[in-house]
Every structure is written in structure tokens, then in C-alpha cells.
Amino acid sequence: MENVRGILARNVRLGRQKLQLSQEELAAQADVDRTYISGIERETRNPTITIIAKIAVVLETTAAALLTSHP
């Protein structure tokens, strides 16, 4: 099984950078703490699907896309 936290971390980071958002800006728009975004990107947090969905909306994608490995 693939490292789902690693996939999520990479996709959140790439999506955030694509939209030129800081962790703080993403967190504010997703209504989560900045340290939570940092934890996701460092693979130390295990977010709920609700949090993933909130982040996906801000990143203009879907929760499924954030959890999918892209070559």
C-alpha cells in the first residue's frame, strides 16, 4: 500500500504552491490552524476527510485528487 500521508502531503504542498498560497493563507481559507497545514505537509498529521475536503475546496480540487498519486 502506498504512503497515503506522503501522497496527501505532496499534493497539498504542490496545490498550495500552484496557487501561490502560504501555509498561513491556506489554513485561514480552510478554517484550520496553520500548524495543522504544516503537519499535513510534514506527514505528522492524520487529517479527517472533512479537513481534507475543506483544503480541497481552497485548492480548487477534490478530496479524491488530493489522495491520488500523480506520476
Side-chain angles (χ1 to χ4, degrees):
M1 182 174 170
E2 293 183 67
N3 176 2
V4 176
R5 281 194 212 174
I7 293 167
L8 178 63
R10 182 176 54 253
N11 290 338
V12 168
R13 186 178 313 105
L14 290 173
R16 182 176 61 74
Q17 291 171 343
K18 179 180 176 186
L19 295 176
Q20 298 181 343
L21 294 172
S22 67
Q23 288 180 346
E24 193 170 285
E25 291 166 329
L26 173 57
Q29 290 182 40
D31 195 30
V32 298
D33 192 85
R34 185 207 56 82
T35 61
Y36 203 88
I37 298 297
S38 174
I40 291 171
E41 290 188 6
R42 289 182 293 111
E43 302 179 44
T44 60
R45 291 283 188 164
N46 193 22
T48 65
I49 193 64
T50 302
I51 298 294
I52 295 170
K54 289 170 117 180
I55 292 168
V57 169
V58 177
L59 296 180
E60 302 171 1
T61 190
T62 63
L66 288 179
L67 296 169
T68 301
S69 181
H70 304 283

